[in-house]
Each structure stands twice: as C-alpha cells, then as structure tokens.
Amino acid sequence: AHLVMGVTAYEAAEEAAEASDVVFITSPDDAIATVVSSISWRPEQAVVHCSGASSLKALGSARGQGATVGAFHPFQTFADPDRAQAALEGAGFAVEAELPLCHDLEELAAALGGWPIHLESEDRVLYHASAVVACGFLVTLVKLAADLWLYSSSEFGFVSLPVALTTDILAGTPFKTYLMRALGARVGKRVYLD
C-alpha cells in the first residue's frame, strides 16, 4: 500500500471490505469462494474477482448478501512487477458484470490503457485456455527450441538463434519481457540475453 498514494493498508480483509465500496478479490482461483465467504458484504458494495477462469459463482456469498458482483481479468502476463503497469497498455480485459458495475469495469479497463472483452460465464474457461496457449505454449516452444540447441557440440551452442528469432518477432511487446525471464535462467549456457 505504501507504493500507491492515498491507499490505506488494513490488517484484515474484513476491515478493508468494511471501508470500501468496491473490493477486488485477487487471491488464487481456488481461494476466491473461501475469501469471499469469510467477509460480510453490504448491498451497496461491488465485489469483483480477477480470475481468468472462475465464474461469478465464486462470488456467490457476496451476491447472496446483496452485493453486486463482477469479474475483471487482464489478458496479460506479468513477469516483471516493475513493468506490470506498462504491460497493461493495449491489453484486453475480460469483463463480466451486471449494470452499472459493467460500465465501471469498462471505464477501468480504458483508464488502464486497455479495452474490455465482454464474457459470459460459460466462455471463461475457453478465454482462459486461449490465454494459456497464447502465452505459456509459446514460451514452452521457444524453450524447447533453445534446449535442442544445448545438445550441439558447438562451443556457443547456437542457443541464441531461436531466442533471437522469437524476440525479433515480438520486439517491443510486453511479452518479450516475459519470454526473456522465462528463458533466461534455463538457457544460460553462454547465452547473453538483453
């Protein structure tokens, strides 16, 4: 909280919820329902989870107490906390909520430099799977290509070739940072990544 001006840190989730009109639940997916059910909610509150795959059912306890519920998830990987805010520029945000919360979340996506992607609960799993394929599978393929070069008898090993090709394709994108971090530790056999 000390990194963001005007933010107050609370010892307990219940205290933070009592003091807030909008609460974002950013726990791991399998803990969302547990976190939400441990808090008392008010009808004038909005409770929003930030999961890509979880439906609004995870917020059932808040909805049952009269709170408005929604979901807000950036279609983006955050490999570097120092660059996370810049990575939001141009990102899509999955938005699912009733009105007027839906409009508020659309405005938040725009304020963060992104754009809303309207999802229904039944589409969340496919949305999240596409995100995993777009990011995780690409990193895995590049890592596999780099690992194949590790078997080379060459002194340098040419590990940098598949990495350089991929980073040239992705030059200037926030994904390049993720790729470099994901590969950097593993392809360290005399490879220097910028």
Side-chain angles (χ1 to χ4, degrees):
H2 68 279
L3 298 175
V4 181
M5 199 175 345
V7 172
T8 303
Y10 294 93
E11 291 292 322
E14 184 76 33
E15 289 179 85
E18 285 176 15
S20 304
D21 294 327
V22 179
V23 177
F24 285 84
I25 307 297
T26 59
S27 64
D29 291 4
D30 61 352
I32 294 171
T34 302
V35 169
V36 171
S37 65
S38 73
I39 298 171
S40 296
W41 302 101
R42 303 184 309 270
E44 65 274 9
Q45 280 181 303
V47 182
V48 180
H49 74 60
C50 295
S51 166
S54 297
S55 74
L56 295 182
K57 289 179 184 176
L59 303 175
S61 176
R63 178 179 267 159
Q65 295 175 56
T68 303
V69 298
F72 186 78
H73 179 266
F75 194 91
Q76 181 58 265
T77 299
F78 301 105
D80 183 348
D82 295 330
R83 297 182 184 177
Q85 186 173 356
L88 293 174
E89 186 70 35
F93 289 82
V95 172
E96 181 184 359
E98 298 171 0
L99 297 174
L101 180 58
C102 186
H103 289 310
D104 295 337
L105 296 176
E106 290 170 345
E107 289 176 10
L108 178 58
L112 293 170
W115 48 278
I117 302 167
H118 295 278
L119 288 182
E120 299 297 326
S121 283
E122 61 268 13
D123 297 327
R124 295 196 75 77
V125 172
L126 291 175
Y127 157 83
H128 195 258
S130 72
V132 170
V133 170
C135 181
F137 284 16
L138 179 59
V139 170
T140 301
L141 283 173
V142 173
K143 181 190 175 307
L144 176 60
D147 284 353
L148 290 172
W149 281 108
L150 291 174
Y151 294 101
S152 166
S153 61
S154 168
E155 177 69 18
F156 185 65
F158 298 106
V159 174
S160 62
L161 292 178
V163 174
L165 173 63
T166 305
T167 56
D168 284 348
I169 292 168
L170 300 170
T173 67
F175 185 72
K176 180 179 178 184
T177 302
Y178 179 80
L179 181 65
M180 301 319 301
R181 281 189 165 245
L183 292 173
R186 182 63 181 97
V187 299
K189 180 183 173 184
R190 296 181 199 89
V191 176
Y192 301 96
L193 305 175
D194 65 349

